[in-house]
Amino acid sequence: MKRIGILTGGGDCPGLNAVIRGVVKGALIGRGWEVIGIEDGFDGLLDQSKCRLLTLDDVRGILPRGGTILGTTNRGNPFSFPVEKNGTTEFIDISDQVVATLKELGIEALIVVGGDGSLKIAQELMRKGVPIVAVPKTIDNDLLETDVTFGYNTALETATDAIDKLHTTAESHHRVMILEVMGRYAGWIALESGIAGGADVILIPEIPFEIKRICRAVDDRRRRGRRFSIIVAAEGAYPRGGERVVRKKAEAAHQIERLGGIGEYVAREIGTCLDMDTRVTVLGHLQRGGSPTTFDRCLGSRFGIKALELIEKGAFGQMVCLKGREIRSVAIEKAVRKLKLVNPGGDMVRAAEELGIMLGR
């Protein structure tokens, strides 16, 4: 009998439970393996009480549930673990403790479900001899080597639904409505939901915007009798020649800046050049929650089964991925070498502009 482990790291997203369910059912029913569920990402490997055997009862009924039954954190990094010393916080490497815990638990292979940050940690653990298979997860859809990550489709549906709702109130009150969506440094959510929702302006990180052009586009609509406008802004969007708007800057090498506030920035700038009522909606963590779509349930389940197949073959250091309609695999190091960003000259951007959508340039 084999014993494998599974953990979910980074931000939560719809479809994580589908992966866990796929792994547990495929391991127990089809292979006779044991599965150890590790709670709260890599932090769970610092406390064995957070590591438990998963049974079929544990995964019964979780397919339509958002989030993850194992819990997660986007701050857990065993290579940069915070400890208090003499009233100050220091960051130390406790990865050897993680490796020791895996050995004590008898885990012969570890499935890491996560985004760019979690998979980079997995890559470092691989160098310490931990046999790892990765499953890509992020609503931002910014991981290389996979056409789509699970969770992205559900986030898109949430964003598109929000745009649909904003249309009616914007038209009723003759307002400029700005919807700020997630995505970090990638504009996929803003671009696709903006096209699907019929936005008038879409702002993405890959195309720095000029506020005067945005104001001109909104004013042109008003002159044509369209007395409202919908603007979708990715949280990582920024003005040409300016900087990103952040709620909290990264204070150390191990941290990441917390984006947010671009919607309010654009609203203030529009207010200085146009006499139009402007409102901002920050969609925030609603994009991470809720029941996963059919697509994400199916993709997550398929990813979980493919991860088991890779373990059977001893194909460690691989990440499962979607290529076209087929589930394949690729080296983790190839997937995390850089972010997958929107091509400013790509067909999706061209389609948006030909539809009359203004992208800030």
Side-chain angles (χ1 to χ4, degrees):
M1 178 181 294
K2 279 185 177 287
R3 172 176 282 191
I4 64 173
I6 181 171
L7 63 82
T8 54
D12 68 306
C13 78
L16 281 167
N17 285 327
V19 178
I20 297 169
R21 176 179 176 272
V23 168
V24 171
K25 296 194 75 171
L28 271 63
I29 297 174
R31 293 165 176 83
W33 298 353
E34 290 182 336
V35 181
I36 300 291
I38 300 160
E39 299 176 353
D40 301 337
F42 293 102
D43 283 357
L45 289 170
L46 303 176
D47 181 358
Q48 289 196 30
S49 66
K50 290 187 174 183
C51 304
R52 56 190 172 92
L53 276 172
L54 295 178
T55 67
L56 293 177
D57 285 339
D58 291 315
V59 298
R60 185 171 289 118
I62 70 171
L63 192 57
R65 286 172 54 184
T68 164
I69 62 170
L70 293 177
T72 187
T73 176
N74 54 12
R75 298 181 181 179
N77 184 348
F79 294 93
S80 185
F81 190 78
V83 294
E84 295 291 330
K85 287 187 178 180
N86 301 321
T88 61
T89 301
E90 294 183 10
F91 294 89
I92 62 174
D93 184 348
I94 56 170
S95 56
D96 287 341
Q97 184 179 337
V98 167
V99 175
T101 300
L102 289 167
K103 290 181 179 178
E104 290 170 10
L105 291 171
I107 293 176
E108 301 172 60
L110 178 65
I111 297 175
V112 175
V113 189
D116 179 69
S118 297
L119 299 194
K120 286 180 177 176
I121 295 172
Q123 191 177 13
E124 291 298 315
L125 288 174
M126 280 283 298
R127 295 191 177 104
K128 286 182 167 285
V130 179
I132 288 177
V133 167
V135 175
K137 173 259 359 153
T138 170
I139 66 167
D140 304 331
N141 198 36
D142 59 359
L143 268 170
L144 279 178
E145 304 298 335
T146 184
D147 292 349
V148 181
T149 53
F150 70 86
Y152 174 63
N153 184 263
T154 305
L156 272 184
E157 290 295 320
T158 299
T160 302
D161 181 62
I163 297 171
D164 290 345
K165 288 180 168 64
L166 287 175
H167 260 99
T168 57
T169 182
E171 189 170 10
S172 298
H173 288 274
H174 319 304
R175 285 173 171 157
V176 177
M177 287 292 189
I178 302 172
L179 179 69
E180 182 179 317
V181 298
M182 287 181 170
R184 294 199 60 76
Y185 307 117
W188 297 107
I189 293 177
L191 183 57
E192 289 208 53
S193 67
I195 292 173
D200 305 298
V201 178
I202 300 174
L203 306 178
I204 60 176
E206 296 86 348
I207 303 177
F209 61 83
E210 295 187 26
I211 196 67
K212 290 183 179 179
R213 291 180 178 272
I214 297 171
C215 291
R216 191 179 307 135
V218 171
D219 196 38
D220 285 346
R221 280 179 50 80
R222 181 170 59 176
R223 292 175 187 277
R224 297 195 306 270
R226 306 299 289 165
R227 299 167 63 190
F228 74 97
S229 290
I230 301 292
I231 299 175
V232 180
E235 61 182 353
Y238 63 96
R240 185 178 298 279
E243 297 181 348
R244 286 189 174 88
V245 181
V246 298
R247 295 197 182 280
K248 184 178 180 182
K249 293 185 176 181
E251 298 174 353
H254 67 282
Q255 294 179 332
I256 57 175
E257 60 186 2
R258 185 180 300 170
L259 300 173
I262 187 60
E264 291 291 347
Y265 171 86
V266 172
R268 288 194 302 269
E269 293 297 314
I270 289 177
T272 63
C273 62
L274 292 177
D275 182 23
M276 289 188 70
D277 198 12
T278 305
R279 293 289 189 273
V280 179
T281 299
V282 180
L283 202 51
H285 286 79
L286 284 173
Q287 295 157 97
R288 293 193 178 280
S291 182
T293 59
T294 300
F295 180 87
D296 282 337
R297 295 184 199 188
C298 187
L299 184 60
S301 299
R302 295 173 70 195
F303 274 178
I305 296 301
K306 182 64 175 181
L308 294 175
E309 293 175 358
L310 292 175
I311 292 174
E312 277 184 315
K313 296 175 182 177
F316 300 114
Q318 295 283 300
M319 181 191 83
V320 303
C321 61
L322 178 68
K323 295 290 186 181
R325 297 184 63 85
E326 299 295 321
I327 305 296
R328 299 179 183 174
S329 67
V330 65
I332 296 174
E333 61 184 359
K334 290 185 66 177
V336 300
R337 69 183 187 274
K338 64 179 182 179
L339 295 177
K340 182 180 72 178
L341 303 178
V342 174
N343 179 0
D347 65 325
M348 194 175 297
V349 169
R350 291 197 306 272
E353 291 180 326
E354 291 198 29
L355 287 167
I357 300 172
M358 200 271 180
L359 276 85
R361 62 181 178 182

